[in-house]
């Protein structure tokens, strides 16, 4: 992707703390930054529990980053969100507040906070523009996570408004890619269906089970595209309003399941477990704002699914079983 304008915050020779580097998003951002003349700072959970304000302050003071990316969050799929509301609300509030407060105290120059498309009202007009925030009720299955993320956007804006800080926010759509959580109970739809399709193929089963009715539509962005988008915004964007990062295209879950079956090479006899929640019917985000800034995604869903399945095959044996993922 060419840079149409010179960056307002060039990352060259900067020190960047990627909080959440062990998660799918943080890991992808670190991979991108490794190609740049940037000193990447990461903290293991043992070194710095991000829910502990004193630990975050101490790590920030000791490492003096020029920029911080908040890719750390308690994340999970529709069932995990619905089952662990305290973790999704409280841990995320603590993580983002501790990081912004410590960044301010340490005079960090630039900060990027990452949210999620679930911040938008359940029945927002599609494609969802950034100004739809707080115009209607949220989807109940993930409102805990959404409220935390909305608070994060507002806290970044508050630092900008009260102190003139260059704290910005990006809202990714549903993400997938290498390093995803493939645990069947806590994962998002792509890794779950990919794993189920793989199991069906190995077992010679005719197909696999899909949660819900298969009719909800979702938009998906490969995490490497997301990482490029984050770095683009870090260097180029200084605005008050958050920015959507999506692929601009959505499809019904049923079609996604067929596409995954094709990529994996398993049978296509799908069953639908309608005791599981559908969640929001549709959440296609508008990418107009980031496109006007000069950024576009590059990885098609077909290519992204194929490379993610290749990653899964290489890493399947080492994948941990998790009930919820703490991407830190
Ligand atoms: P959401 O975008 O927050 O709803 O997150 P998910 O990625 O967990 O779910 C997206 C959609 O895929 C929902 O309609 C789910 O019901 C549906 N879905 C179908 N099969 C699965 C599955 O095996 N796991 C998950 N997590 N979702 C599934």
């Amino acid at each position: 992707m060419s840079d149409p304008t010179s960056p307002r915050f060039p990352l060259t020779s900067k020190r960047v703390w990627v909080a959440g580097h062990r998660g799918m998003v943080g890991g992808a951002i670190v991979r991108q930054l490794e190609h740049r003349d940037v000193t990447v700072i990461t903290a293991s959970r043992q070194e710095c529990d991000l829910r502990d304000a004193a630990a975050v302050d101490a790590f920030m003071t000791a490492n003096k980053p020029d920029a911080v990316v908040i890719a750390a969050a308690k994340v999970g799929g529709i069932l995990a969100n619905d089952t662990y509301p305290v973790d999704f609300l409280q841990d995320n509030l603590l993580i983002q507040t501790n990081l912004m407060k410590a960044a301010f105290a340490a005079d960090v120059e630039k900060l990027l906070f990452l949210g999620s498309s679930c911040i938008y009202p359940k029945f927002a007009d599609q494609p969802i523009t950034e100004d739809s925030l707080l115009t209607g009720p949220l989807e109940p299955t993930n409102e805990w996570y959404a409220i935390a993320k909305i608070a994060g956007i507002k806290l970044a804006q508050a630092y900008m408004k009260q102190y003139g800080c260059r704290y910005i926010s990006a809202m990714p759509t549903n993400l997938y890619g290498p390093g995803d959580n493939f645990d069947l109970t806590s994962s998002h739809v792509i890794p779950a269906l990919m794993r189920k399709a793989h199991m069906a193929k190995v077992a010679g089963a005719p197909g696999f089970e899909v949660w819900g009715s298969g009719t909800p539509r979702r938009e998906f962005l490969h995490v490497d595209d997301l990482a490029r988008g984050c770095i683009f915004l870090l260097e180029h964007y200084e605005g008050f309003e958050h920015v959507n990062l999506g692929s601009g295209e959505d499809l019904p879950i049923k079609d996604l399941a067929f596409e995954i079956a094709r990529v994996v090479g398993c049978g296509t006899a799908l069953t639908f477990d309608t005791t599981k929640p559908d969640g929001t019917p549709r959440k296609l985000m508008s990418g107009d704002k980031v496109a006007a800034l000069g950024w576009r995604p590059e990885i098609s869903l077909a290519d992204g699914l194929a490379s993610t399945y290749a990653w899964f095959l290489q890493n399947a044996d080492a994948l941990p079983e998790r009930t919820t993922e703490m991407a830190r």
Side-chain angles (χ1 to χ4, degrees), residues 76-84 141 181-194 196 208-218 252-257 270-280 322-323:
I78 193 163
L79 199 61
N81 260 276
D82 214 20
T83 313
Y84 303 102
T141 50
N181 169 18
F182 283 81
D183 174 73
L184 290 183
T185 52
S186 62
S187 66
H188 287 99
V189 60
I190 286 184
L193 294 187
M194 196 168 273
K196 288 190 231 180
F208 54 94
E209 182 188 270
V210 179
W211 290 357
S213 63
T215 57
R217 300 178 70 91
R218 290 292 184 274
I253 294 299
K254 189 176 185 174
D255 293 7
L256 172 73
L270 305 179
T271 55
F272 292 88
D273 177 0
T274 51
T275 65
K276 294 286 194 309
D278 266 346
T280 196
R322 300 177 274 204
T323 49

Side-chain angles (χ1 to χ4, degrees), residues 296-310:
R296 273 191 179 72
E298 295 168 11
I299 304 171
S300 70
L301 184 62
D303 287 351
L305 289 176
S307 60
T308 302
Y309 185 51

Side-chain angles (χ1 to χ4, degrees), residues 133-310:
L133 185 66
L134 295 173
T135 57
L138 299 165
E139 155 59 34
T141 50
N142 54 25
E143 65 177 340
W144 322 98
Y145 182 71
I147 293 278
K149 290 296 182 182
I150 292 169
I153 297 172
K154 289 295 160 191
L155 190 59
Q157 290 180 339
Y159 272 105
M160 189 177 278
K161 185 173 157 77
Q162 189 171 337
Y163 298 117
C165 296
R166 298 155 87 186
Y167 293 2
I168 59 166
S169 299
M171 295 306 117
T173 189
N174 289 39
L175 301 169
Y176 71 99
D180 210 341
N181 169 18
F182 283 81
D183 174 73
L184 290 183
T185 52
S186 62
S187 66
H188 287 99
V189 60
I190 286 184
L193 294 187
M194 196 168 273
R195 188 168 189 168
K196 288 190 231 180
H198 178 72
M199 285 158 54
K201 181 179 168 180
V202 171
F208 54 94
E209 182 188 270
V210 179
W211 290 357
S213 63
T215 57
R217 300 178 70 91
R218 290 292 184 274
E219 174 189 11
F220 298 100
L221 183 70
H222 191 281
V223 73
D224 288 344
D225 267 338
L226 184 266
R228 278 188 283 273
C230 288
I231 291 165
F232 176 85
L233 290 177
L234 203 53
E235 291 200 292
H236 292 271
Y237 186 66
E238 307 264 285
F240 190 71
E241 193 179 48
H242 60 281
V243 181
N244 291 343
L245 288 176
S247 61
E249 289 171 16
D250 67 357
L251 78 172
I253 294 299
K254 189 176 185 174
D255 293 7
L256 172 73
F258 282 127
E259 182 64 12
I260 289 175
R262 187 189 64 75
V263 166
V264 171
C266 73
T268 54
L270 305 179
T271 55
F272 292 88
D273 177 0
T274 51
T275 65
K276 294 286 194 309
D278 266 346
T280 196
R282 195 180 184 202
K283 49 176 172 177
L284 176 64
M285 300 201 306
S286 165
D288 289 353
K289 183 169 175 146
V290 75
L293 292 167
W295 182 84
R296 273 191 179 72
E298 295 168 11
I299 304 171
S300 70
L301 184 62
D303 287 351
L305 289 176
S307 60
T308 302
Y309 185 51

Side-chain angles (χ1 to χ4, degrees), residues 26-74:
I29 293 173
V30 168
R31 284 199 299 279
Q32 295 290 325
L33 288 175
E34 280 169 353
H35 299 300
R36 301 280 305 266
D37 174 18
V38 165
T39 303
V40 178
I41 300 167
T42 58
S44 69
R45 199 174 304 188
Q46 290 70 30
E47 273 176 291
C48 181
D49 183 336
L50 298 174
R51 295 166 298 183
D52 177 348
V56 175
D57 267 336
F59 189 85
M60 194 79 79
T61 309
N63 289 280
K64 297 185 177 46
D66 301 300
V68 172
V69 178
I70 305 184
K74 175 76 107 183

